[in-house]
Amino acid sequence: MANRPYEKGLHDLGNGCFAWLVPDGSWGYSNAGLIVDSGETLLVDTLFDLKSTREMLDQMHRQVPASGTIGTLVNTHANGDHTFGNQLVRGARIVATSKCRDEMLERPPEFFRNLFGAWRALGDAGAFMHEVMGSRFDLSDIVAAPPTTTFDGSLSLNVGNKSVELIEVGPAHTPGDLLVHVPQDRTVFTGDIMFVKGHPIVWAGPISNWIAACDRILSRDVETIVPGHGAITDRNGVRELKCYLEYVLVEARKRYDAGMNDEEAANDISMERFKDWGEPERLVVNVDAAYREFEGQGGMPDPMRLFGLMAKAHFARNGCPACKGSSVVHTH
Ligand SMILES: [Zn+2]
């Protein structure tokens, strides 16, 4: 499974399961899924903007004619790169966890359109956000299309004669994450519970709950794993991500106990073992999540502070395109 090609487009996993892959899987370049049986269809997630979602739906329709009408759209979580194309899936019922729906209503597309539009006024955090998302995706014309059916815990659906299980595993990446499991095909679409060859980003946490989500995948008889970002993987991919999360939790704890702050800890932790993983700037977000976990704090972090810290880490490595400087001192 892990050797399937990582190429843009629709990949036939067999027996009516398909994955839409978008390399390189970095910020905003997310995957989606399609399940078809006896003329019924279920789409797992839409993409970050209308252009990319339209391209995906058109290609699905060409390759899988039944997908011209999507009966059910499942959103694995609330992030825009998995939901901002929802409005194009006309007539479908949209299913998600109730926490996912709450987050989508709290932070609608116009919130992000305004935020990305104001990047010049937001210092390094804004420059970074623009580089990795605002300049890549067009959020104009996106309107809110929140879930119409919600659940807590788990929900079983039928797509034709195929049964599909939705399993709530958040809070982890976001407050309302879910997995889409197709037992008879030993396939799971994980949304952003799985990143392959990229650092995961723990927005909500706790990390221990994300580790538990990995165990829930591994406890099932699954073979093919379609991540939210990156190449199709297998059980080893889940074990690798679990290792990363356990490692960050253990290493962050040592530095928390030694009195380092989250930024100092992130700079101090050796990532040699994961050095070929993309988006290393996310480590500081994950250390911050670990720190909140140690302090018994639930809820969400301050995203602008974390974007500021990621910007600093990213620009120190790659230079800043806005001011053409590689120093951590910027004046734009
Ligand atoms: Zn994502």
mmCIF file of all heavy atoms in Angstrom, residues 25-31 45 76-77 79-82 173 191-192 195 201 228-229 282, ligand 1:
data_model
loop_
_atom_site.group_PDB
_atom_site.id
_atom_site.type_symbol
_atom_site.label_atom_id
_atom_site.label_comp_id
_atom_site.label_asym_id
_atom_site.label_seq_id
_atom_site.Cartn_x
_atom_site.Cartn_y
_atom_site.Cartn_z
ATOM 1 N N GLY A 25 1.214 17.897 -0.316
ATOM 2 C CA GLY A 25 0.669 17.631 1.013
ATOM 3 C C GLY A 25 1.019 18.670 2.064
ATOM 4 O O GLY A 25 0.643 18.527 3.224
ATOM 5 N N SER A 26 1.757 19.724 1.663
ATOM 6 C CA SER A 26 2.105 20.749 2.650
ATOM 7 C C SER A 26 0.883 21.632 2.907
ATOM 8 O O SER A 26 -0.224 21.311 2.473
ATOM 9 C CB SER A 26 3.312 21.547 2.149
ATOM 10 O OG SER A 26 2.962 22.282 0.996
ATOM 11 N N TRP A 27 1.077 22.766 3.538
ATOM 12 C CA TRP A 27 -0.014 23.647 3.951
ATOM 13 C C TRP A 27 -1.117 23.772 2.889
ATOM 14 O O TRP A 27 -0.863 24.279 1.796
ATOM 15 C CB TRP A 27 0.516 25.048 4.250
ATOM 16 C CG TRP A 27 1.348 25.133 5.495
ATOM 17 C CD1 TRP A 27 2.714 25.050 5.578
ATOM 18 C CD2 TRP A 27 0.878 25.311 6.836
ATOM 19 N NE1 TRP A 27 3.104 25.161 6.883
ATOM 20 C CE2 TRP A 27 2.014 25.337 7.676
ATOM 21 C CE3 TRP A 27 -0.403 25.468 7.405
ATOM 22 C CZ2 TRP A 27 1.911 25.501 9.056
ATOM 23 C CZ3 TRP A 27 -0.502 25.632 8.776
ATOM 24 C CH2 TRP A 27 0.648 25.650 9.587
ATOM 25 N N GLY A 28 -2.314 23.335 3.224
ATOM 26 C CA GLY A 28 -3.491 23.540 2.358
ATOM 27 C C GLY A 28 -3.661 22.521 1.254
ATOM 28 O O GLY A 28 -4.747 22.432 0.670
ATOM 29 N N TYR A 29 -2.612 21.755 0.923
ATOM 30 C CA TYR A 29 -2.716 20.753 -0.146
ATOM 31 C C TYR A 29 -3.193 19.428 0.454
ATOM 32 O O TYR A 29 -2.401 18.589 0.867
ATOM 33 C CB TYR A 29 -1.379 20.588 -0.872
ATOM 34 C CG TYR A 29 -0.975 21.829 -1.649
ATOM 35 C CD1 TYR A 29 0.241 22.450 -1.418
ATOM 36 C CD2 TYR A 29 -1.836 22.370 -2.600
ATOM 37 C CE1 TYR A 29 0.608 23.599 -2.125
ATOM 38 C CE2 TYR A 29 -1.482 23.510 -3.309
ATOM 39 C CZ TYR A 29 -0.255 24.122 -3.063
ATOM 40 O OH TYR A 29 0.104 25.240 -3.746
ATOM 41 N N SER A 30 -4.519 19.275 0.479
ATOM 42 C CA SER A 30 -5.139 18.183 1.223
ATOM 43 C C SER A 30 -5.712 17.128 0.290
ATOM 44 O O SER A 30 -5.985 17.387 -0.883
ATOM 45 C CB SER A 30 -6.254 18.762 2.089
ATOM 46 O OG SER A 30 -7.061 19.630 1.318
ATOM 47 N N ASN A 31 -5.927 15.931 0.832
ATOM 48 C CA ASN A 31 -6.527 14.827 0.092
ATOM 49 C C ASN A 31 -8.024 14.734 0.379
ATOM 50 O O ASN A 31 -8.515 15.307 1.346
ATOM 51 C CB ASN A 31 -5.873 13.505 0.507
ATOM 52 C CG ASN A 31 -4.382 13.490 0.248
ATOM 53 O OD1 ASN A 31 -3.908 14.113 -0.697
ATOM 54 N ND2 ASN A 31 -3.638 12.779 1.087
ATOM 55 N N ASP A 45 -14.639 14.926 2.394
ATOM 56 C CA ASP A 45 -13.989 16.238 2.358
ATOM 57 C C ASP A 45 -13.997 16.918 0.969
ATOM 58 O O ASP A 45 -14.009 16.266 -0.071
ATOM 59 C CB ASP A 45 -12.529 16.186 2.857
ATOM 60 C CG ASP A 45 -12.448 16.073 4.382
ATOM 61 O OD1 ASP A 45 -13.436 16.431 5.051
ATOM 62 O OD2 ASP A 45 -11.408 15.637 4.882
ATOM 63 N N THR A 76 -14.241 15.591 7.576
ATOM 64 C CA THR A 76 -13.480 14.939 8.651
ATOM 65 C C THR A 76 -13.177 15.900 9.807
ATOM 66 O O THR A 76 -12.940 15.465 10.925
ATOM 67 C CB THR A 76 -12.146 14.378 8.130
ATOM 68 O OG1 THR A 76 -11.393 15.460 7.543
ATOM 69 C CG2 THR A 76 -12.380 13.281 7.097
ATOM 70 N N HIS A 77 -13.126 17.203 9.505
ATOM 71 C CA HIS A 77 -12.934 18.229 10.538
ATOM 72 C C HIS A 77 -13.210 19.581 9.897
ATOM 73 O O HIS A 77 -13.545 19.647 8.716
ATOM 74 C CB HIS A 77 -11.535 18.142 11.158
ATOM 75 C CG HIS A 77 -10.403 18.392 10.206
ATOM 76 N ND1 HIS A 77 -10.053 17.487 9.213
ATOM 77 C CD2 HIS A 77 -9.536 19.436 10.085
ATOM 78 C CE1 HIS A 77 -9.022 17.967 8.539
ATOM 79 N NE2 HIS A 77 -8.692 19.155 9.039
ATOM 80 N N ASN A 79 -11.336 22.406 9.316
ATOM 81 C CA ASN A 79 -10.356 23.257 8.602
ATOM 82 C C ASN A 79 -10.774 23.518 7.156
ATOM 83 O O ASN A 79 -11.276 22.626 6.468
ATOM 84 C CB ASN A 79 -8.967 22.622 8.594
ATOM 85 C CG ASN A 79 -8.253 22.679 9.939
ATOM 86 O OD1 ASN A 79 -7.193 22.085 10.098
ATOM 87 N ND2 ASN A 79 -8.818 23.370 10.917
ATOM 88 N N GLY A 80 -10.481 24.738 6.690
ATOM 89 C CA GLY A 80 -10.907 25.160 5.359
ATOM 90 C C GLY A 80 -10.405 24.283 4.230
ATOM 91 O O GLY A 80 -11.083 24.117 3.217
ATOM 92 N N ASP A 81 -9.217 23.700 4.400
ATOM 93 C CA ASP A 81 -8.675 22.864 3.316
ATOM 94 C C ASP A 81 -9.428 21.530 3.189
ATOM 95 O O ASP A 81 -9.122 20.732 2.303
ATOM 96 C CB ASP A 81 -7.157 22.653 3.459
ATOM 97 C CG ASP A 81 -6.734 22.077 4.788
ATOM 98 O OD1 ASP A 81 -7.411 22.332 5.794
ATOM 99 O OD2 ASP A 81 -5.713 21.366 4.831
ATOM 100 N N HIS A 82 -10.429 21.333 4.040
ATOM 101 C CA HIS A 82 -11.260 20.122 3.947
ATOM 102 C C HIS A 82 -12.743 20.462 3.794
ATOM 103 O O HIS A 82 -13.575 19.559 3.672
ATOM 104 C CB HIS A 82 -11.030 19.241 5.180
ATOM 105 C CG HIS A 82 -9.601 18.830 5.327
ATOM 106 N ND1 HIS A 82 -9.129 17.599 4.936
ATOM 107 C CD2 HIS A 82 -8.515 19.545 5.754
ATOM 108 C CE1 HIS A 82 -7.821 17.553 5.137
ATOM 109 N NE2 HIS A 82 -7.419 18.726 5.631
ATOM 110 N N HIS A 173 -6.353 16.914 16.295
ATOM 111 C CA HIS A 173 -5.915 17.967 15.366
ATOM 112 C C HIS A 173 -6.822 19.188 15.547
ATOM 113 O O HIS A 173 -6.353 20.326 15.611
ATOM 114 C CB HIS A 173 -5.993 17.409 13.944
ATOM 115 C CG HIS A 173 -5.773 18.408 12.857
ATOM 116 N ND1 HIS A 173 -4.589 19.093 12.701
ATOM 117 C CD2 HIS A 173 -6.587 18.848 11.857
ATOM 118 C CE1 HIS A 173 -4.688 19.905 11.649
ATOM 119 N NE2 HIS A 173 -5.890 19.774 11.130
ATOM 120 N N GLY A 191 -8.705 11.929 7.402
ATOM 121 C CA GLY A 191 -8.596 13.382 7.552
ATOM 122 C C GLY A 191 -7.234 13.701 8.148
ATOM 123 O O GLY A 191 -6.258 12.959 7.931
ATOM 124 N N ASP A 192 -7.138 14.761 8.926
ATOM 125 C CA ASP A 192 -5.819 15.207 9.408
ATOM 126 C C ASP A 192 -5.374 14.535 10.696
ATOM 127 O O ASP A 192 -4.455 15.016 11.372
ATOM 128 C CB ASP A 192 -5.797 16.730 9.539
ATOM 129 C CG ASP A 192 -5.695 17.391 8.176
ATOM 130 O OD1 ASP A 192 -5.669 16.663 7.170
ATOM 131 O OD2 ASP A 192 -5.642 18.636 8.123
ATOM 132 N N PHE A 195 -0.885 12.580 8.836
ATOM 133 C CA PHE A 195 -0.042 13.292 7.883
ATOM 134 C C PHE A 195 1.061 12.300 7.526
ATOM 135 O O PHE A 195 1.554 11.603 8.404
ATOM 136 C CB PHE A 195 0.610 14.525 8.519
ATOM 137 C CG PHE A 195 -0.332 15.672 8.807
ATOM 138 C CD1 PHE A 195 -1.240 15.621 9.853
ATOM 139 C CD2 PHE A 195 -0.293 16.828 8.032
ATOM 140 C CE1 PHE A 195 -2.084 16.676 10.128
ATOM 141 C CE2 PHE A 195 -1.138 17.904 8.298
ATOM 142 C CZ PHE A 195 -2.039 17.829 9.354
ATOM 143 N N ILE A 201 0.039 18.813 12.858
ATOM 144 C CA ILE A 201 -0.095 20.048 13.635
ATOM 145 C C ILE A 201 -1.219 19.872 14.653
ATOM 146 O O ILE A 201 -2.353 19.630 14.294
ATOM 147 C CB ILE A 201 -0.257 21.283 12.709
ATOM 148 C CG1 ILE A 201 -0.229 22.578 13.511
ATOM 149 C CG2 ILE A 201 -1.496 21.182 11.830
ATOM 150 C CD1 ILE A 201 0.116 23.814 12.692
ATOM 151 N N GLY A 228 -4.960 12.794 5.502
ATOM 152 C CA GLY A 228 -5.431 14.120 5.103
ATOM 153 C C GLY A 228 -4.416 14.840 4.242
ATOM 154 O O GLY A 228 -4.767 15.660 3.394
ATOM 155 N N HIS A 229 -3.139 14.566 4.480
ATOM 156 C CA HIS A 229 -2.045 15.172 3.702
ATOM 157 C C HIS A 229 -0.965 14.120 3.499
ATOM 158 O O HIS A 229 -0.573 13.442 4.443
ATOM 159 C CB HIS A 229 -1.438 16.368 4.455
ATOM 160 C CG HIS A 229 -2.402 17.506 4.650
ATOM 161 N ND1 HIS A 229 -2.395 18.631 3.864
ATOM 162 C CD2 HIS A 229 -3.430 17.669 5.524
ATOM 163 C CE1 HIS A 229 -3.354 19.450 4.256
ATOM 164 N NE2 HIS A 229 -4.003 18.894 5.271
ATOM 165 N N ARG A 282 6.126 23.415 12.365
ATOM 166 C CA ARG A 282 4.961 23.051 13.194
ATOM 167 C C ARG A 282 5.342 22.467 14.551
ATOM 168 O O ARG A 282 4.494 22.364 15.434
ATOM 169 C CB ARG A 282 4.104 22.021 12.448
ATOM 170 C CG ARG A 282 3.431 22.610 11.225
ATOM 171 C CD ARG A 282 2.685 21.537 10.462
ATOM 172 N NE ARG A 282 2.021 22.087 9.294
ATOM 173 C CZ ARG A 282 1.508 21.329 8.316
ATOM 174 N NH1 ARG A 282 1.597 20.013 8.376
ATOM 175 N NH2 ARG A 282 0.912 21.896 7.295
HETATM 176 ZN ZN ZN B 1 -5.711 19.649 6.328
#
